[in-house]
Amino acid sequence: MDRPPPRPAAVTLSLLRQAEHVLFAVLLVVGAVRTARSGGHTVAVLAVVAAVAVWYLLGIVLARRAPARGVAGGWFAGLTAGWIVLAVLSVDFVWLAFALFLLAMQLLPPRVGPPVVAVLTVVAIAAVAVPAGKLTAPSVLGPVIGAAVAVVIMTVYRNQRQLLAELTAAQDQLAAAQREAGVLAERERLAGEIHDTTTQSVSAIVLLLKSAAGRWPDAPPAAREQLDAAIESAQVALEDSRRTIRALTPAALAGRPLTDALGQLVEDARRLGLDAHLTVDGTPYPLATPAAVALLRAGQEAVANVRAHAGAGHAELTLTFHPGAVSLDVVDDGRGFDPGRPRSGSTGTGLGLSTMRRRLEAVGGTLVIESGAGQGTALSARIPIEEEP
């Protein structure tokens, strides 16, 4: 199985750590070489350099096996102690503090890192000033500028890392939502295709067989038996087709009528703080799955828009069963908008309304929107209904 590509934050962190390792090694070697050339405390310095190098490598191994802030803090404290010993033995190791500045900002908590860097800066200045017997501008500015650069670099890196993590999480959520939406859309499409093709064709076969049976009352027993078997098989196929359609319908419609699904939608809206009500006019009758799905999605999108953009306190949903048509009206008392103007951040992108309109048109329905600034919004979705056999 292929491994997923590394995250940008992980790549950045890996490069930063490699740069820190190289920087620490270079500064440690430079200090050792300069001290050896000057001839001061050579044996002691090389022994401490070796100990510090081994300790540093040990920290790398531990970080790969069991990365933990407590372990990192103890390792950093030991590394700092080794550096202080080296700085006391030779001023050539003072500049190793810059690598420690970066490590402190990376390994220690955000509130602890800067104070530790400040303390290390004072130690570095003292390590240069004490042997010289005086403070000079280079001995002060060098560590201070190095500490400031390290703090800025690591602060920017941490902020970038957090932003990248948030962006990655948002991308993952968007991808998951798109996958789910794609699955739901495909299920609805399949349900509509099965209804409009297989189910309708089998329904027509059932009607034709029943009509033939009615017109042939004196058929021979064998023919009558085969005709009845054909009718029974066609009816079983029709029921299987409808069962498949029900299995592909949205969860909100699974096993219950549109009125119940819209009632649940209203209850959910109330729990989220919107005063919503549902009224059912006329005598409810069974709806074809594509029509029920289109009306349910229209209601869901309308309520979502009311909550997200309308600033409304009340919404009224009315489901009306007409002879030969069914309609869903959603009226709110929100701020309203001009349906003819482009959408903005406060009124939404308009994609939801476009999708709603296309879904209704796919089943022969229409969408009418009436709204105005400060006048609320009225949305009406209407679908013509042909009674199923």
Side-chain angles (χ1 to χ4, degrees):
M1 181 176 180
D2 296 337
R3 293 184 178 180
R7 299 287 191 184
V11 175
T12 304
L13 179 60
S14 177
L15 292 175
L16 178 62
R17 287 176 175 172
Q18 293 176 12
E20 289 174 348
H21 299 333
V22 173
L23 176 64
F24 189 90
V26 169
L27 293 177
L28 188 63
V29 171
V30 169
V33 172
R34 289 177 60 87
T35 302
R37 288 181 177 179
S38 65
H41 306 290
T42 303
V43 176
V45 167
L46 293 179
V48 178
V49 166
V52 169
V54 171
W55 185 256
Y56 193 91
L57 293 174
L58 178 62
I60 296 177
V61 174
L62 291 177
R64 291 179 177 177
R65 293 185 177 181
R69 178 156 288 176
V71 175
W75 174 79
F76 178 78
L79 194 64
T80 301
W83 167 71
I84 293 175
V85 173
L86 288 174
V88 170
L89 293 175
S90 174
V91 72
D92 293 320
F93 291 98
V94 169
W95 306 116
L96 197 61
F98 185 72
L100 294 178
F101 294 158
L102 294 174
L103 289 172
M105 292 297 297
Q106 177 185 332
L107 300 177
L108 302 180
R111 294 183 179 180
V112 178
V116 170
V117 170
V119 173
L120 294 177
T121 304
V122 173
V123 174
I125 294 173
V128 176
V130 170
K134 61 179 180 178
L135 285 174
T136 61
S139 66
V140 175
L141 291 179
V144 169
I145 293 175
V149 171
V151 170
V152 170
I153 289 176
M154 295 308 301
T155 300
V156 171
Y157 164 72
R158 277 180 170 168
N159 292 338
Q160 182 188 31
R161 186 180 182 186
Q162 181 178 359
L163 290 175
L164 286 174
E166 294 175 354
L167 177 60
T168 300
Q171 289 175 336
D172 291 342
Q173 293 176 358
L174 177 60
Q178 290 176 336
R179 286 194 296 270
E180 182 179 359
V183 170
L184 293 176
E186 182 63 13
R187 288 167 64 93
E188 292 179 14
R189 187 190 69 80
L190 288 174
E193 289 291 337
I194 294 173
H195 173 270
D196 294 339
T197 57
T198 305
T199 302
Q200 296 293 354
S201 297
V202 176
S203 296
I205 293 172
V206 171
L207 288 177
L208 290 173
L209 290 173
K210 288 182 176 180
S211 176
R215 293 181 179 181
W216 197 11
D218 55 347
R224 170 65 66 176
E225 181 178 350
Q226 291 181 352
L227 192 57
D228 291 341
I231 293 174
E232 182 179 357
S233 297
Q235 288 177 331
V236 170
L238 180 60
E239 181 56 33
D240 288 342
S241 175
R242 288 173 175 170
R243 187 180 300 110
T244 301
I245 293 174
R246 288 194 294 270
L248 292 172
T249 57
L253 284 174
R256 58 180 178 175
L258 177 62
T259 52
D260 291 350
L262 290 175
Q264 184 63 51
L265 173 65
V266 167
E267 291 182 8
D268 293 341
R270 288 176 181 173
R271 282 196 294 268
L272 295 174
L274 177 65
D275 181 22
H277 299 276
L278 172 66
T279 301
V280 179
D281 288 341
T283 302
Y285 48 78
L287 299 176
T289 298
V293 170
L295 290 174
L296 175 61
R297 295 304 190 207
Q300 290 172 332
E301 180 65 30
V303 171
N305 286 340
V306 171
R307 292 184 50 248
H309 308 298
H314 177 76
E316 187 69 34
L317 282 72
T318 303
L319 180 64
T320 305
F321 290 88
H322 307 277
V326 62
S327 64
L328 175 65
D329 299 308
V330 182
V331 180
D332 68 72
D333 60 354
R335 63 175 62 95
F337 67 98
D338 183 355
R341 295 185 60 183
R343 302 293 180 263
S344 65
S346 60
T347 60
T349 63
L351 293 177
L353 294 177
S354 299
T355 302
M356 187 192 310
R357 192 183 302 277
R358 287 195 300 269
R359 183 179 284 115
L360 289 168
E361 290 175 350
V363 293
T366 58
L367 177 67
V368 177
I369 302 174
E370 296 180 359
S371 185
Q375 301 177 6
T377 300
L379 178 149
S380 179
R382 182 183 179 92
I383 298 177
I385 299 298
E386 293 182 5
E387 185 177 356
E388 291 188 346

